[in-house]
Amino acid sequence: LVTGGSNGIGLSIAEASKEKGAKVIICGRNKNRLESVSEKYGFTSYVCDVSIEAQVVDMFENIKKDFGRLDVLINNAGYGYFAEIDKVDVHELINVLNTNVVGAILCGIETSKIFKNQNSGNIVNIASTAALKGFAFGTPYVATKFALRGITECWRAELRKHNVRVILINPSEVQTDFKLNSG
């Protein structure tokens, strides 16, 4: 499962996984783009805003019903919001936190239930070099990526005994439309 898998880094991961023989599931908020990408590449897709618990729970119920198992979660859904500290819009801050942090946690909660039951699995959290170092105007975005870094460490410690690997990838700048919050 690649969250945010219909464009950018997520789509590239989904394509590469498919080329290696994986059955690929993607999710995202944009139904039209999901359908188009799924048809083009042969992915299974679910419309899901990862920041909404009910949608995440429904998606995982469908995955269990449709596939019976899950081997990998690529927690990729996210977008960038950047502003000078005294110009941060609290509403936008909450939105980016909900997608980039709460969404990752909600997917982690549901995935961990499956992986514990299977006694196997892999979680790959896609962060950014912003998880390693802050920068001017980066407060909202950097906060989400530092959070994802800490979350990864916690999950690794908790899930290791269930044969679940948890890793963090910190790509540098990649030219995508993630700033557009387009799901």
Side-chain angles (χ1 to χ4, degrees):
L1 169 62
V2 182
T3 67
S6 64
N7 65 348
I9 292 172
L11 178 55
S12 293
I13 292 168
E15 287 178 82
S17 299
K18 179 79 173 185
E19 288 174 9
K20 296 288 184 182
K23 292 179 184 174
V24 176
I25 306 164
I26 62 171
C27 74
R29 296 180 291 202
N30 186 313
K31 181 180 179 182
N32 292 334
R33 184 170 43 222
L34 275 173
E35 289 174 353
S36 174
V37 167
S38 294
E39 184 176 315
K40 179 177 179 179
Y41 295 101
F43 304 149
T44 299
S45 65
Y46 299 100
V47 176
C48 179
D49 181 336
V50 296
S51 71
I52 300 173
E53 182 180 19
Q55 289 185 26
V56 172
V57 170
D58 286 346
M59 177 178 65
F60 277 90
E61 287 302 316
N62 285 320
I63 289 169
K64 288 187 278 189
K65 181 182 66 171
D66 295 343
F67 292 91
R69 66 176 293 115
L70 184 67
D71 296 304
V72 181
L73 167 65
I74 308 290
N75 243 338
N76 171 73
Y79 72 96
Y81 168 58
F82 307 90
E84 193 171 358
I85 186 60
D86 60 339
K87 294 178 177 65
V88 169
D89 178 294
V90 173
H91 177 73
E92 289 301 320
L93 173 65
I94 291 168
N95 286 341
V96 76
L97 286 166
N98 281 339
T99 297
N100 296 11
V101 178
V102 175
I105 292 171
L106 290 172
C107 289
I109 289 168
E110 296 306 313
T111 299
S112 69
K113 294 174 186 176
I114 295 170
F115 288 174
K116 283 180 169 184
N117 187 52
Q118 293 174 174
N119 198 43
S120 69
N122 302 277
I123 299 174
V124 180
N125 291 325
I126 306 296
S128 163
T129 53
L132 306 172
K133 183 178 181 183
F135 51 86
F137 306 101
T139 297
Y141 181 70
V142 170
T144 70
K145 296 308 177 176
F146 264 79
L148 195 55
R149 180 176 165 196
I151 289 163
T152 300
E153 292 178 13
C154 294
W155 292 355
R156 184 179 302 125
E158 291 176 34
L159 296 172
R160 179 175 285 137
K161 65 185 174 192
H162 299 285
N163 197 33
V164 177
R165 292 183 295 176
V166 184
I167 65 170
L168 182 73
I169 296 177
N170 297 314
S172 190
E173 291 181 28
V174 177
Q175 298 303 313
T176 69
D177 66 354
F178 87 112
K179 285 188 189 179
L180 301 177
N181 187 16
S182 58

